[in-house]
Amino acid sequence: MEGKGFAYWLLCLICFVSFLPAPCLGDEIFDYQHRCSVDGTEWEGLGCGTTKLLIKGGTVVNADHQFIGDIYVEDGIIQTMGPNLPVTDDVRVIDASGKFVMPGGIDPHTHLEMPFMGQESCDDFFSGQAAALAGGTTMHIDFALPSDGDLLKGFEIYSKKAKKSCTDYGFHMAVTTWNENVAKDMELLVKEKGINSFKFFLAYKGSLMVTDEQLLQGFKKCKELGALPQVHAENGDAVAEGQSRIFAMGITGPEGHALSRPPVLEGEATARSIRLAKFINTPLYVVHVMSIDAMQEISQARQSGQRVIGEPIVSGLALDDSKLWDADYKIAAQYVMSPPIRSTGHDKALQAALSSGILQLVGTDHAPFNSSQKAQGRHDFRAIPNGVNGIEERMHIVWDVMVNSGKLSPREYVRITSTACAQIFNIHPRKGAILPGSDADIIILNPNATTRISASTHHSRMDTNVYEGWTMKGNIEVTISQGRVVWENGRLHVKRGVGRYIPMAPFSYLFDGLDKLDLEYVSSLKAPVDRSTDALTSI
Ligand code: URP
Ligand code: ZN
Ligand code: ZN
């Protein structure tokens, strides 16, 4: 410790004589090689820990309006916004002229420290969130898995894991079986623990998969509680059949993964879950929409007036399946995820669906397994841990694919990367907006700077990156989380334990009016028919 203290003061002395700002004692400052150079306990009174910020002259973008002006932040909250706000002595001024000032990204779909297929995803709640902040994401919603089917136990385990968080987060809870305890725990999680969404896996037979009977019970309970049911939509029975068939043909490598679970199986499960949600009259959220087949089912349901939310993820929007055929196993295995990344054409169709409003928000499904973990399936694609990286890349890739290409405006970009997620999960306008009273989670994006993605410079613990070499116009130069500058000049200033659990209340806008539809349904039945008089006359 003494050595560390001496090093810190030496660093301060160097900063003093060279007129550089002092390093922030209390931050863990990462460099690109993932080393933490300073670790302490204090934030306050130091340059990057400053809590009064004036962001000047940027184009401030919300999902519904934009203007050129200033934002004043104090104590982690946006206080005021407008043109030419006054500069006072104790305020740090950040010049944002020529740049976009937007709400920090919210990633609705991540898997940090997830035990899965005999491995644990290699980013924990600290490294994964540090990576998120470096890429402009200031909040994520992770999927907590039950422990041996026990939801509460699973929630407690994930809550402990998340104690090391350096940014805000929430949880969806997975439901992997059905019994009275599950129903009771769902109720407690919604009423006392801030959970308002539950995920049901229609794939992963023998581990996470639920039957239609269990799904129906889950949908009913969700509706009663005002919680949003989510589905991983692939037909798990057919996937198991497809895996046996492809493996028996001698196809053992990563390409077998895509071949064994084609888009038709995603389309089938999407259609089935949408129809069952209609039968129960509950809203539905389809996670990681990867194919035209699934997207068209969502489109049709929405056109008929059903409340279905479709979430594409970055890998589905930006990649195709060609790398699964790479001769190098290490490269090919990186791209194994479920549902699989599809052949070229699906990506463009998903982009179009996002720009036309058929799909609503973009996640990542960040489930990183490094090369040594992926090596588990070297001789059998069925054993390759499923998942790709994306938490750090999402905001840049979506900007490139959707905004640089002219498919979406900056306002729509804010909607699909932040605001829609906050609204769907009922935390808007605390999150997902730049408004007085909102949390000061803000990014500054320079549309003229360049970003290059590489495993050698990213902050995730992954040793590979599925977007390796991707170069684009647009760079998130500053990330502000809870009113503090945590990413600036290519460096992270993050601290373990400051990330807050954001509870999410049930009965989001998606539930408004369902009672009226239920009444309409009951009155449409015209039953039971009164046959009492008829019975008397006909006997
Ligand atoms: O391949 C994936 N998607 N891994 C994470 C688990 C899931 O299905 O979301
Ligand atoms: Zn899934
Ligand atoms: Zn997932």
Side-chain angles (χ1 to χ4, degrees):
M1 282 311 283
E2 267 174 29
K4 212 181 220 179
F6 176 72
Y8 173 73
W9 289 114
L10 188 63
L11 204 54
C12 284
L13 189 64
I14 294 166
C15 291
F16 179 72
V17 295
S18 59
F19 301 103
L20 289 171
C24 297
L25 183 66
D27 301 356
E28 294 190 13
I29 301 177
F30 279 76
D31 65 14
Y32 277 143
Q33 275 67 49
H34 319 143
R35 286 187 292 265
C36 303
S37 57
V38 183
D39 188 6
T41 51
E42 300 293 326
W43 282 85
E44 305 301 333
L46 296 159
C48 48
T50 302
T51 59
K52 293 182 183 176
L53 302 173
L54 184 59
I55 305 164
K56 271 209 119 10
T59 302
V60 179
V61 187
N62 273 303
D64 58 353
H65 70 286
Q66 69 182 57
F67 69 97
I68 295 178
D70 307 344
I71 301 170
Y72 177 61
V73 167
E74 190 175 331
D75 294 332
I77 303 291
I78 296 168
Q79 305 289 341
T80 45
M81 47 201 269
N84 302 316
L85 296 182
V87 182
T88 52
D89 278 353
D90 54 347
V91 167
R92 176 168 174 208
V93 179
I94 301 174
D95 179 13
S97 43
K99 301 173 187 176
F100 291 107
V101 180
M102 301 185 277
I106 309 175
D107 187 341
H109 188 155
T110 62
H111 300 278
L112 302 179
E113 292 182 71
M114 173 182 60
F116 190 53
M117 297 182 72
Q119 301 285 345
E120 183 171 276
S121 55
C122 67
D123 272 326
D124 65 17
F125 276 81
F126 182 66
S127 70
Q129 292 184 352
L133 290 169
T137 288
T138 50
M139 179 176 170
H140 69 112
I141 312 179
D142 206 79
F143 286 92
L145 295 181
S147 172
D148 299 323
D150 186 328
L151 271 61
L152 268 191
K153 214 164 121 193
F155 178 80
E156 297 307 333
I157 291 171
Y158 269 78
S159 300
K160 264 199 203 114
K161 292 183 195 198
K163 290 233 178 312
K164 56 178 95 59
S165 288
C166 57
T167 196
D168 292 351
Y169 62 93
F171 287 126
H172 316 284
M173 188 83 221
V175 174
T176 55
T177 184
W178 191 257
N179 56 49
E180 262 181 31
N181 284 339
V182 170
K184 254 194 249 149
D185 284 356
M186 282 175 70
E187 188 154 344
L188 196 144
L189 285 164
V190 171
K191 292 188 173 160
E192 295 177 26
K193 304 284 184 187
I195 295 285
N196 71 2
S197 49
F198 293 93
K199 179 177 180 183
F200 301 85
F201 292 89
L202 308 187
Y204 306 127
K205 189 175 181 181
S207 58
L208 303 172
M209 182 173 128
V210 292
T211 62
D212 285 356
E213 190 184 353
Q214 294 170 328
L215 185 67
L216 275 167
Q217 294 308 317
F219 278 4
K220 263 169 62 185
K221 192 69 193 174
C222 278
K223 183 181 176 191
E224 176 197 322
L225 296 172
L228 185 59
Q230 302 177 290
V231 284
H232 171 135
E234 285 183 289
N235 184 315
D237 288 317
V239 167
E241 173 63 23
Q243 288 176 326
S244 305
R245 183 202 295 171
I246 294 295
F247 195 77
M249 290 164 78
I251 303 168
T252 60
E255 69 281 13
H257 178 75
L259 295 171
S260 66
R261 43 207 310 158
V264 65
L265 303 189
E266 192 186 342
E268 186 280 331
T270 306
R272 179 164 34 108
S273 55
I274 285 173
R275 281 156 179 75
L276 294 181
K278 188 181 173 79
F279 177 62
I280 301 294
N281 187 26
T282 173
L284 179 69
Y285 182 113
V286 183
V287 305
H288 49 41
V289 177
M290 297 297 280
S291 64
I292 293 172
D293 308 47
M295 179 269 286
Q296 285 179 341
E297 295 296 339
I298 293 166
S299 173
Q300 201 183 314
R302 287 177 65 86
Q303 278 180 55
S304 77
Q306 209 181 325
R307 295 174 199 194
V308 181
I309 302 290
E311 171 211 80
I313 56 173
V314 191
S315 54
L317 291 167
L319 302 174
D320 64 48
D321 66 353
S322 53
K323 286 279 189 357
L324 286 165
W325 272 259
D326 198 286
D328 182 339
Y329 173 84
K330 183 178 162 185
I331 293 173
Q334 281 182 63
Y335 292 84
V336 168
M337 64 157 295
S338 294
I341 297 167
R342 306 298 185 184
S343 56
T344 187
H346 289 271
D347 48 353
K348 293 279 184 303
L350 294 174
Q351 291 168 22
L354 190 57
S355 55
S356 62
I358 293 168
L359 303 173
Q360 287 70 49
L361 74 169
V362 181
T364 60
D365 199 3
H366 183 76
F369 296 99
N370 62 32
S371 305
S372 50
Q373 294 176 307
K374 292 268 182 183
Q376 173 177 282
R378 181 78 182 83
H379 304 291
D380 184 346
F381 67 82
R382 295 170 296 188
I384 303 171
N386 290 192
V388 300
N389 66 287
I391 201 168
E392 186 168 354
E393 296 77 16
R394 180 183 73 124
M395 297 295 280
H396 283 107
I397 299 277
V398 173
W399 182 265
D400 196 30
V401 169
M402 301 304 294
V403 183
N404 284 343
S405 67
K407 294 188 178 77
L408 286 185
S409 68
R411 268 177 264 189
E412 290 166 316
Y413 170 80
V414 167
R415 176 170 52 75
I416 61 163
T417 58
S418 184
T419 312
C421 180
Q423 289 170 335
I424 289 164
F425 295 104
N426 225 1
I427 49 173
H428 185 268
R430 177 180 181 182
K431 300 288 186 187
I434 296 188
L435 288 172
S438 296
D439 283 357
D441 293 346
I442 298 168
I443 57 170
I444 302 177
L445 185 147
N446 181 349
N448 298 314
T450 301
T451 298
R452 186 174 187 280
I453 295 170
S454 173
S456 62
T457 52
H458 72 201
H459 299 79
S460 158
R461 287 191 185 141
M462 278 291 284
D463 59 345
T464 58
N465 192 314
V466 291
Y467 306 101
E468 185 65 43
W470 193 295
T471 305
M472 50 165 285
K473 257 306 247 340
N475 180 254
I476 295 165
E477 294 182 334
V478 176
T479 305
I480 296 164
S481 166
Q482 301 178 3
R484 294 177 194 277
V485 176
V486 290
W487 168 253
E488 191 181 25
N489 300 322
R491 288 182 74 79
L492 270 169
H493 309 277
V494 291
K495 181 171 167 157
R496 261 170 221 274
V498 302
R500 298 168 301 190
Y501 175 60
I502 306 295
M504 295 178 280
F507 293 106
S508 75
Y509 74 94
L510 289 164
F511 289 80
D512 288 351
L514 283 188
D515 49 346
K516 295 192 180 98
L517 293 174
D518 281 338
L519 280 178
E520 193 183 304
Y521 163 74
V522 172
S523 59
S524 76
L525 299 177
K526 299 191 187 106
V529 175
D530 181 3
R531 296 193 181 84
S532 51
T533 51
D534 172 54
L536 282 175
T537 51
S538 62
I539 287 172

